[in-house]
Amino acid sequence: MAIQIVSIILSALLTENFVMVKFLGICPFLGVSKKVETAVGMGMAVTFVMALASAFTWIVNRFLLIPFDLLYLQTIVFILIIAGLVQFVEMFMKKSMPSLYSALGIYLPLITTNCAVLGVTLLNVQNYPDSFIYSLLYGIFAALGFTLAIVLMAGIRENLDEDAVPESFRGFPIALITAGLMAIAFMGFSGFSI
Amino acid sequence: MPDEKKTVSSVFVNGLLKENPTFVQLLGMCPTLAVTTSLKNGLGMGLSATAVLICSNILISLLRKLIPDKVRIAAYIVIIAAFVTMIDMSLKAFLPDLASSLGLFIPLIVVNCIILARAEAFASKNSPVLSAADGLGMGLGFTGALCIISAIREFLGAGTVWGIALYGTHIAPATIVIMAPGGFIVLGLLIGTINFIAAKRKGDK
Amino acid sequence: MAKEINVKEVFRIGFILFAITALAAAMLAFVNAKTKPLIDENAIIKEQNAMNSVMESAASFDEVEITADIEETAGRFGGTVEKAYLAKDASGNTVGACVITETSGYDVGIETVTGVDADNKVTGVDIIAMNETPGLGANAQNDAFKNQYIDKTGTVEVSKTAADDTHIQAISGATKTSRGVTNGVNIALSVSEKLLNGGDK
C-alpha cells in the first residue's frame, strides 16, 4: 500500500508528468506561462479543480455508471461534472473568498477545456476503478506535476523575452522548443520508478 | 476583419489555409503533439476530429435559435461529447487497431479547443450549410497539419512513413523525434519556419 | 443586467438543456446498442487469433477459473492474470495452457498472451495491447523479439547484451518494456505449471 502510494506520487509528478510526457494540458501550459505569478495561479486553480473532479467522477462512476451499466456515458457525464464543478467553484469563491477569486478567477473558466482535467478522470477510472484514495492521489499529484511544469516554463520564458531570438521564432515557436528541451530533462526521471 | 460575403468555398478555404487551426490559430495542441507519432495515427485523429467538427457544427447551427444564450456553452459541450462518444464507439467497433493506438485522445476530442471555438465563433452565428463547410475546412486543415507533423516525425524518428521502411537498417533513426521532446521541437521548428516564410512573402509585396 | 429571477425563464432554460441532454443520451444509447456487440466480438476475435497463433497445436480452449493462488503467483512478478485457458487438441487431450497477463513496462497495460506446452515450454508469445512508445517499446510487437521466448522454460530473464537459454535480449532502448513482457511470460510459465502439473485434470 505504502509503496503503491509512493509509486503513484512519483509517476504522476515526474515520470509520467502530464505536460512533459503525456501531452495533456498543453494549451494552458503554452498560453498561461508568460509570467511566473500567473502560472502559479493557474496551477493552483487546476489542482483545486482536478482534486474535486477526481473525487466526484470516481463516486459517480462507481455508484452510478457501473451499477447501471452506463459506461458509454462516461465522457459526457464527466465533462458535465467538470463544467459544473468549475462553475460552482467560481461562484463559491466569488462569494466567500473574494481575494482568492480575484487571483484565480480569470483562469477558472479556462479549466473546463483543459484536457488534463478530463484526461485525469478518464485515466483514473481506467487505472484505479476500485480505489477512491488512489484516484484522488493521482488527481492531486498529476495536477501538481502540471503546476511544476508550467511554473518552470514561466520562469524560463520570463528570461527568454530579453534574448536575441530570431524574429519568426519569437513567442510560440521558441516556447515549444524550450518545452522540448524541458521534456528531455524530464526523461531523465524515467528510471525513477518503484 | 473586412465584412466580405461568406460563400461555401471561401469559408472552406479560410479554415484549410488562412486560419489553419494548428499552424495559425495554435488551437488543439494536445492531440497535435500526442498522436503525431505515426502518419496513420495523425490521419486517424484528424479525420475523427473532422467528423465530430462537421456534425457538431451542423447540429449547433440548426439549434442556434433554440439554445438559450446563458447555457450555450453547456449545451455545446453536451452535443460535442455525444458526437465524440459515438465516434469513439464506432472506431472501437470498426477500426479496433486505430482505436487502441489513439486511446485516450479520442474521448479527449471533447476538450479539443478547435471544436468548441468553432461552435462559439462560427456555428452559432451562421447557417447549417456554411457551418458544415467551416467544419470541413477547419477539420481538414487540422488533419493536414497533423499529417505533415506526423510524417516528419515518423520519417525521422522511426525511419518509416505509413509503416513502410524508407532507409534500411544501416542508419539508426533518431528515436527521440517520436518521443515527447521531439513532438515539441518539431512543432516549434515548423511554426517558426511558417512564420519565416509568411514574413518573407509579406516583405516581398 | 436585471437582478430579479424570472421563474418562467429558468424553467425554459432548464427544459431546453434537459431536452438536449436527453436527446444526446438517447442517441448514445442507440449507437451503443449497435456497436457494443461488435466491440465485444472484436475483443474475442483478437484474443482467439492471438491464442491460435501462440499455440498452433490446440484445437480449442477451455477457460479456467482464476484462483487466489494464481493471482498470488502473478503478484510475485508484479502483474495480473486476465484469463487462463487449458488448450485441448482435436481429440480433447490437454496439450498445454494459454495465459493472458497484464504487466507494466514503460507504461501500464501490456497485455500478453503466452502459450505453454505440456513440457512447460513456451510455444509462442503475442501482445494484444500496449501503450509503449512507438519506435522503442512498441518494437516488442516484432517477431524477432517475441520469438526469443519460444522453448524457454522456468523463469526467463532479460539481458541487455545477448540471448541464451534463460535470457532474452532486451529491445535496445526499451529495457522496461522487455521486462514487462518477460514478466508476463514468467507469470504464464508458473501459472501453467500449476494448471498442467498441479493435479488439475
Side-chain angles (χ1 to χ4, degrees):
Chain A
M1 175 96 177
I3 287 181
Q4 177 88 15
I5 287 176
V6 176
S7 139
I8 288 177
I9 292 176
L10 270 183
S11 71
L13 203 59
L14 299 173
T15 54
E16 284 173 30
N17 186 286
F18 261 38
V19 179
M20 293 283 128
V21 182
K22 283 198 178 305
F23 287 132
L24 291 168
I26 303 288
C27 293
F29 170 72
L30 292 169
V32 202
S33 60
K34 289 200 183 89
K35 284 211 175 82
V36 173
E37 211 185 319
T38 51
V40 172
M42 184 70 183
M44 275 164 59
V46 167
T47 310
F48 198 57
V49 173
M50 233 149 112
L52 282 177
S54 296
F56 271 85
T57 54
W58 189 87
I59 293 169
V60 169
N61 188 60
R62 183 71 186 74
F63 296 108
L64 280 176
L65 298 184
I66 293 180
F68 291 104
D69 201 21
L70 289 173
L71 284 178
Y72 62 91
L73 289 180
Q74 240 169 24
T75 313
I76 204 166
V77 169
F78 286 8
I79 189 71
L80 280 176
I81 292 178
I82 293 168
L85 269 179
V86 169
Q87 194 82 51
F88 175 75
V89 168
E90 198 181 342
M91 290 191 302
F92 178 75
M93 270 192 179
K94 211 173 186 173
K95 278 248 162 66
S96 55
M97 296 181 271
S99 59
L100 195 59
Y101 176 77
S102 61
L104 300 185
I106 44 167
Y107 309 114
L108 281 169
L110 289 176
I111 294 175
T112 311
T113 51
N114 180 342
C115 60
V117 183
L118 185 62
V120 84
T121 59
L122 290 170
L123 281 174
N124 270 340
V125 295
Q126 205 176 76
N127 296 338
Y128 314 108
D130 302 317
S131 170
F132 179 75
I133 296 174
Y134 291 170
S135 295
L136 186 60
L137 266 179
Y138 190 71
I140 293 173
F141 280 92
L144 290 176
F146 171 83
T147 311
L148 178 71
I150 194 173
V151 172
L152 286 176
M153 182 71 180
I156 297 174
R157 279 181 84 174
E158 275 188 358
N159 294 319
L160 212 58
D161 276 351
E162 284 136 40
D163 289 338
V165 176
E167 188 58 38
S168 11
F169 278 80
R170 283 195 171 269
F172 224 73
I174 195 70
L176 277 167
I177 293 168
T178 312
L181 297 176
M182 281 171 70
I184 294 179
F186 267 80
M187 277 172 73
F189 291 119
S190 69
F192 225 55
S193 66
I194 296 181
Chain B
M1 215 182 241
D3 195 34
E4 54 192 289
K5 204 169 178 303
K6 286 180 187 135
T7 62
V8 171
S9 62
S10 77
V11 166
F12 173 76
V13 173
N14 187 41
L16 196 61
L17 301 169
K18 247 193 274 170
E19 283 180 36
N20 185 293
T22 308
F23 291 136
V24 183
Q25 298 188 66
L26 310 169
L27 291 173
M29 283 297 140
C30 301
T32 306
L33 291 163
V35 303
T36 52
T37 50
S38 74
L39 187 53
K40 271 182 199 163
N41 284 356
L43 187 67
M45 180 72 204
L47 293 181
S48 311
T50 307
V52 173
L53 192 51
I54 296 174
C55 295
S56 69
N57 259 6
I58 294 176
L59 190 61
I60 287 167
S61 167
L62 283 172
L63 297 176
R64 68 184 188 279
K65 298 209 174 86
L66 208 69
I67 297 174
D69 207 40
K70 279 180 193 152
V71 291
R72 63 181 196 287
I73 301 289
Y76 297 162
I77 288 179
V78 173
I79 291 170
I80 294 168
F83 282 120
V84 169
T85 313
M86 278 187 240
I87 297 277
D88 189 23
M89 292 191 285
S90 313
L91 279 180
K92 276 188 189 138
F94 302 112
L95 297 165
D97 289 337
L98 185 65
S100 73
S101 67
L102 295 177
L104 188 63
F105 282 91
I106 291 289
L108 286 183
I109 296 177
V110 177
V111 281
N112 187 324
C113 356
I114 298 175
I115 296 172
L116 196 59
R118 291 330 286 171
E120 171 82 359
F122 199 94
S124 61
K125 301 187 186 85
N126 290 287
S127 73
V129 178
L130 282 179
S131 301
D134 178 70
L136 187 67
M138 286 288 165
L140 291 183
F142 179 60
T143 310
L146 288 194
C147 287
I148 294 172
I149 302 165
S150 56
I152 294 175
R153 286 181 71 189
E154 195 186 343
F155 177 71
L156 293 176
T160 61
V161 168
W162 197 259
I164 301 159
L166 287 184
Y167 43 85
T169 44
H170 306 293
I171 311 164
T175 313
I176 187 105
V177 180
I178 47 175
M179 298 175 74
F184 285 115
I185 293 174
V186 168
L187 185 60
L189 292 176
L190 260 176
I191 295 177
T193 314
I194 289 172
N195 285 349
F196 180 72
I197 296 170
K200 222 172 165 201
R201 278 174 60 183
K202 227 183 214 163
D204 286 350
K205 265 182 200 165
Chain C
M1 242 207 259
K3 265 253 167 167
E4 62 189 283
I5 296 170
N6 184 340
V7 179
K8 233 169 133 191
E9 180 69 6
V10 170
F11 270 104
R12 198 180 70 92
I13 290 177
F15 176 74
I16 291 174
L17 207 53
F18 176 75
I20 292 174
T21 319
L23 184 77
M27 288 196 300
L28 284 182
F30 176 75
V31 177
N32 182 58
K34 290 270 172 225
T35 54
K36 189 92 198 310
L38 276 169
I39 295 173
D40 293 345
E41 202 178 304
N42 279 337
I44 293 169
I45 291 175
K46 206 170 178 189
E47 230 173 76
Q48 282 291 338
N49 285 344
M51 288 204 295
N52 286 330
S53 76
V54 297
M55 272 216 96
E56 277 158 0
S57 59
S60 65
F61 296 95
D62 288 356
E63 191 163 354
V64 196
E65 199 195 329
I66 295 171
T67 58
D69 189 30
I70 292 181
E71 277 180 18
E72 198 266 334
T73 312
R76 267 191 280 139
F77 293 102
T80 51
V81 174
E82 298 289 298
K83 280 173 188 163
Y85 297 87
L86 280 177
K88 312 263 179 174
D89 65 7
S91 45
N93 301 317
T94 302
V95 290
C98 248
V99 185
I100 302 178
T101 53
E102 194 177 317
T103 48
S104 303
Y106 190 71
D107 205 335
V108 292
I110 303 181
E111 253 184 87
T112 316
V113 186
T114 309
V116 182
D117 67 11
D119 301 326
N120 260 312
K121 283 186 175 161
V122 176
T123 56
V125 172
D126 201 4
I127 296 162
I128 324 183
M130 64 174 165
N131 312 313
E132 305 298 289
T133 322
L136 280 178
N139 286 341
Q141 206 51 273
N142 295 349
D143 285 341
F145 176 76
K146 288 188 292 193
N147 289 343
Q148 294 188 89
Y149 291 100
I150 293 177
D151 282 343
K152 293 272 189 296
T153 187
T155 308
V156 187
E157 279 170 48
V158 177
S159 158
K160 286 190 188 179
T161 48
D164 59 28
D165 282 351
T166 53
H167 289 80
I168 56 111
Q169 192 183 346
I171 305 156
S172 91
T175 319
K176 276 185 156 182
T177 310
S178 313
R179 285 217 184 96
V181 178
T182 306
N183 282 337
V185 173
N186 284 334
I187 294 170
L189 276 166
S190 36
V191 168
S192 10
E193 194 182 348
K194 288 209 166 96
L195 292 178
L196 298 169
N197 311 337
D200 208 300
K201 58 243 144 322

